[in-house]
Amino acid sequence: GKHGIALRSDASIRIGTPLLPYVHDIVGPGLWDSGRHYTLNADLMQKYKEVKAAFASAGFSVVDREWPSAYFDYLGRLENVCVEAVHTRRPINGKPINHAMTGLKSFTGQVADFVHNYYNAPVSIREIQEDSEHGAWGAGNIDETQYRYWIGPKVKSDCEAYNSIFEDNGLDVLL
């Protein structure tokens, strides 16, 4: 219902505490930013552990689980589904998707729309591109198939990947 979790007992609330990819961002071969290994610094990690302990001592069910792994053909191995979603280099239209740039391809249109609606100034996407210091991240040099994948099927598969930790472990929230 509307209040759902707020009306339940503490003991019935399951808090997931996955580490990958948001506490530890460890990126394997074949993914965008491959080789990156970021983690919380020691004082933040200590606070994270203290919060987990506080929830547990307050009677909440703290669940130490990661997102599930799945086999990805393009990687030739198992990978954490959330790590793959965040750092995907899936081949779309015969080449790896440009993880860093594809999602920004609608940015110039959004800016042009904002300028038009907020300032009541008729500005074209071309004018936004020409006025951008760095050429608006290569806007206009886009693989349309990759972009359609990014704003369509990728959203669906990313939601499925993200939700899988909740479904597989009966979780209510994540820390």
Side-chain angles (χ1 to χ4, degrees):
K2 182 178 175 184
H3 300 284
I5 199 169
L7 298 177
R8 292 176 31 203
S9 70
D10 294 349
S12 75
I13 298 171
R14 294 175 54 84
I15 302 172
T17 59
L19 297 176
L20 294 172
Y22 302 110
V23 175
H24 301 308
D25 193 15
I26 301 167
V27 185
L31 295 170
W32 178 70
D33 261 356
S34 179
R36 183 165 84 181
H37 186 141
Y38 292 153
T39 192
L40 293 181
N41 59 32
D43 61 324
L44 283 178
M45 192 62 184
Q46 182 58 39
K47 289 176 184 176
Y48 179 84
K49 290 176 182 177
E50 290 169 4
V51 169
K52 280 177 58 174
F55 276 127
S57 69
F60 292 93
S61 178
V62 176
V63 181
D64 290 319
R65 293 284 188 328
E66 296 294 331
W67 271 273
S69 291
Y71 185 84
F72 292 92
D73 287 335
Y74 82 97
L75 295 172
R77 62 181 163 79
L78 291 171
E79 182 58 78
N80 175 301
V81 296
C82 196
V83 170
E84 194 281 334
V86 170
H87 297 287
T88 192
R89 297 270 301 153
R90 288 181 193 176
I92 305 297
N93 201 24
K95 56 189 173 290
I97 196 160
N98 184 336
H99 190 279
M101 303 309 289
T102 305
L104 295 173
K105 295 303 182 184
S106 67
F107 181 72
T108 50
Q110 293 172 39
V111 170
D113 189 57
F114 171 79
V115 170
H116 174 75
N117 289 318
Y118 188 77
Y119 295 113
N120 196 27
V123 176
S124 71
I125 292 174
R126 168 174 253 140
E127 290 167 308
I128 296 292
Q129 284 180 280
E130 290 171 352
D131 196 49
S132 297
E133 181 180 353
H134 300 290
W137 307 290
N141 303 321
I142 180 175
D143 181 316
E144 182 68 23
T145 301
Q146 285 196 352
Y147 182 67
R148 284 193 317 269
Y149 169 78
W150 189 269
I151 62 172
K154 183 173 181 350
V155 171
K156 181 180 185 290
S157 69
D158 286 359
C159 287
E160 291 168 352
Y162 186 82
N163 289 337
S164 66
I165 194 169
F166 293 91
E167 295 163 357
D168 291 355
N169 299 289
L171 302 178
D172 297 297
V173 295
L174 298 178
L175 178 60

